[in-house]
Amino acid sequence: MEKQIRQISGLTNLPDKGVKNVLELLEQGATIPFIARYRKEMTGNLDEEQITTIRDTSRKLAELEDRRESILRSIDEQGKLTAELQEQLESAESISQLEDLYLPYKSKRKTRADKAAEKGLEPLAATIMSQKRQDVAQLANKFVDPSKNVHTADEALQGAGDIMAAWINERIAARNRVRRLLWREGKIESKISKGKEAAAEKYSDYFDYSENIRRIPSHRYLAISRGEKEGLLNVKLVIDQDIAMQQLEPVFIGSEGETASLIRKAMKDSLKRLMQPSLESEIRSELKERSDAKAIEIFRSNLYQLLMAPPLGEKRVLAIDPGFRTGCKVVCLDGQGNLLDNDTIYPHPPQRDTSMAAKKIRSLVDAYRIEAIAVGNGTAGRET
C-alpha cells in the first residue's frame, strides 16, 4: 500500500496523506462527491477532479501490477524466467513495455516461424542474422532434408526468413522505433466498405479519409471507430514503409552482401505481417482511451455551463450551503452568476452565533441588492 501511495503521489503531484486517505475512503465504498464535500479534513481539501485522478491512477497501476504478475507467472511456468528478465519485467512502467518483453514467451497458435523451427532451420537463421558468412547458398544446402519437408535451398532460406521475421518483431529496440514512427508520422485512413454506400451516408465525410494520428481530434476518431464497428468503414493505420525500413536498418544491418539482403527481406515481411498489425492494435487502443477522456471532458464542460445557467434568470442571488460544525457557506452572485462575495456563518451548534449570522445576512442583502435567496436542502437545511 505504501509503495502504491508513493507512486500515485509522484504521478499526480498530490500529498501522500491525501492520497492515502482517498484510497481508504474509496475502498470503504465512499463516492467521490461524498469525499470531496464531507471529508475535506481527511483529504486536505482535495476537489472532485483531484480525487478522480487518484482513483483512475490507482486503477491503472492495479492493472499494470495484475498484468506483471500474470506475465511473471506464465514465463516462470515455462521455466524461462531468468534473473535478468525478471528484473526487466519488475522495472517496466507501462503495459506496452510488459507486452514487448512478454512477446517471445506468449503462447500463440503455431506460426510460420514455429513450423520452420521444427524443420531445424533456426541455426541457418542465426548464421544469416550474425552476418559473419556470405556463402548463403552453400550454407542453405546443408539444411536441405526431404524428411523434414525441406527439398531445396530456397525452401530452407524461406523458412529461415520466417524465423528471422519473428525475431525482428520480438526485438524491443525495433518495436520502439516503429512505435515512435507511427505516433510521429503515422496516418489513420478510412474507406467505405464495399456495397455500404447507402447505409453509411452519415459517415460520408470518411468514405476516403486520411489524417495524421497526432492531429486527429477525439470526435473524429470516435466517429471513424463507430463506422468501423458498424461494418460501414474499413480503417487502418499506415506509415511510409521506406522510412520504417530506414528506422530498422541500424538495429539489424551491420554489413552489406547477400546476408544483409536476406535480413532486409525478413525485415520487410516482419514489418508488414507481424510488427505493424500488433502496434496498430496497441496505438488504436490508446487513441480510443484518449478520445473517450476528451469526449468526457467536453461533455463535463458543457454540462457545467448548463447547470450553472441562472435558474431564475438575471437576478442577484444570495446562496447558502448549510452545515452544523463547519458552518454555513454563503456566496453572493450578480445577475450573470459572477461571484460578488463569500463568507461563512455559524448559526447552529456548537457555535450558535445566531445574531452575528443574521447581521451578516442582512448586511449582504443590503450591500448587493439581493433579489432571491437559495438554501441548500442537505444537512442543516431545515434549521438554516
Side-chain angles (χ1 to χ4, degrees):
M1 183 71 168
E2 290 301 322
K3 179 184 175 183
Q4 184 190 23
I5 290 168
R6 287 196 303 273
Q7 281 181 304
I8 295 172
S9 181
L11 290 168
T12 60
N13 292 319
L14 295 173
D16 288 4
K17 182 180 178 182
V19 170
K20 177 177 181 292
N21 288 336
V22 166
L23 292 176
E24 289 177 353
L25 287 165
L26 288 170
E27 197 166 326
Q28 293 166 14
T31 64
I32 289 174
F34 174 85
I35 296 170
R37 182 176 176 120
Y38 298 112
R39 294 295 180 266
K40 293 179 184 293
E41 69 282 0
M42 293 181 67
T43 67
N45 289 315
L46 296 181
D47 60 27
E48 286 92 339
E49 191 170 339
Q50 292 168 316
I51 295 168
T52 300
T53 299
I54 292 172
R55 181 200 65 187
D56 293 346
T57 305
S58 174
R59 287 177 178 176
K60 285 185 178 180
L61 288 175
E63 289 173 8
L64 181 65
E65 289 308 313
D66 288 346
R67 187 58 180 149
R68 194 193 316 275
E69 289 177 14
S70 174
I71 289 172
L72 283 166
R73 185 167 55 251
S74 173
I75 298 176
D76 189 36
E77 288 170 355
Q78 297 174 42
K80 298 177 181 178
L81 185 60
T82 64
E84 181 185 4
L85 178 58
Q86 182 169 351
E87 184 179 349
Q88 289 176 326
L89 286 166
E90 288 178 347
S91 62
E93 296 180 350
S94 68
I95 293 288
S96 62
Q97 288 179 356
L98 284 174
E99 296 299 344
D100 282 353
L101 289 164
Y102 183 44
L103 191 59
Y105 310 95
K106 187 179 292 186
S107 58
K108 46 189 177 287
R109 70 177 188 276
K110 188 174 287 189
T111 63
R112 283 162 45 173
D114 294 332
K115 293 173 183 176
E118 289 173 358
K119 296 176 182 178
L121 297 174
E122 278 191 337
L124 175 58
T127 303
I128 295 171
M129 288 290 283
S130 72
Q131 302 170 69
K132 292 177 180 177
R133 293 180 61 175
Q134 296 297 332
D135 54 337
V136 176
Q138 183 181 345
L139 187 63
N141 277 322
K142 296 179 181 180
F143 290 87
V144 174
D145 186 349
S147 68
K148 293 182 178 178
N149 204 27
V150 182
H151 301 283
T152 65
D154 285 343
E155 287 184 6
L157 290 173
Q158 178 61 52
D162 290 338
I163 293 170
M164 288 190 292
W167 288 347
I168 289 166
N169 179 49
E170 292 167 358
R171 185 75 69 88
I172 292 176
R175 292 178 69 83
N176 282 337
R177 281 172 171 258
V178 177
R179 181 183 282 117
R180 285 194 296 269
L181 180 64
L182 272 164
W183 276 117
R184 189 174 65 247
E185 299 182 21
K187 293 182 178 180
I188 183 165
E189 291 185 352
S190 66
K191 295 186 182 299
I192 181 66
S193 297
K194 191 174 181 180
K196 298 294 181 71
E197 289 80 3
E201 182 59 34
K202 63 181 177 180
Y203 298 110
S204 58
D205 290 345
Y206 308 111
F207 283 5
D208 189 10
Y209 180 79
S210 175
E211 186 165 3
N212 190 286
I213 293 170
R214 283 188 308 166
R215 298 192 184 96
I216 186 167
S218 60
H219 67 275
R220 276 211 285 271
Y221 181 75
L222 292 174
I224 289 171
S225 296
R226 282 195 302 272
E228 182 184 33
K229 189 174 182 180
E230 293 170 18
L232 303 173
L233 297 175
N234 294 318
V235 182
K236 63 180 179 179
L237 302 188
V238 296
I239 49 173
D240 187 305
Q241 297 296 301
D242 291 337
I243 296 177
M245 288 289 286
Q246 290 170 15
Q247 291 290 314
L248 294 177
E249 287 246 351
V251 181
F252 300 105
I253 304 298
S255 66
E256 285 302 330
E258 199 170 353
T259 53
S261 177
L262 288 170
I263 294 170
R264 286 191 179 96
K265 183 179 178 182
M267 283 163 46
K268 192 172 184 179
D269 175 44
S270 178
L271 183 65
K272 183 178 179 180
R273 182 171 58 87
L274 302 172
M275 193 181 296
Q276 193 171 333
S278 69
L279 291 177
E280 178 174 344
S281 297
E282 173 193 310
I283 288 172
R284 291 198 58 187
S285 176
E286 189 168 338
L287 278 173
K288 177 69 164 58
E289 186 176 337
R290 290 183 185 184
S291 297
D292 283 344
K294 186 65 177 177
I296 291 169
E297 181 185 331
I298 293 170
F299 176 79
R300 180 171 58 190
S301 175
N302 292 340
L303 181 61
Y304 177 84
Q305 297 299 327
L306 181 65
L307 294 176
M308 292 301 290
L312 301 177
E314 295 189 1
K315 289 188 181 294
R316 304 169 76 85
V317 177
L318 181 148
I320 305 175
D321 179 18
F324 286 114
R325 180 175 55 84
T326 57
C328 299
K329 279 68 174 180
V330 181
V331 297
C332 296
L333 308 175
D334 67 14
Q336 287 70 48
N338 299 310
L339 180 66
L340 299 173
D341 202 340
N342 66 287
D343 209 332
T344 304
I345 56 176
Y346 299 89
H348 308 306
Q351 293 91 340
R352 296 182 184 277
D353 198 355
T354 309
S355 60
M356 181 58 72
K359 184 178 179 181
K360 170 62 71 175
I361 293 295
R362 289 194 190 95
S363 171
L364 292 172
V365 168
D366 292 340
Y368 297 109
R369 303 189 308 281
I370 296 300
E371 299 172 89
I373 295 178
V375 182
N377 64 348
T379 303
R382 185 178 297 278
E383 294 81 355
T384 300

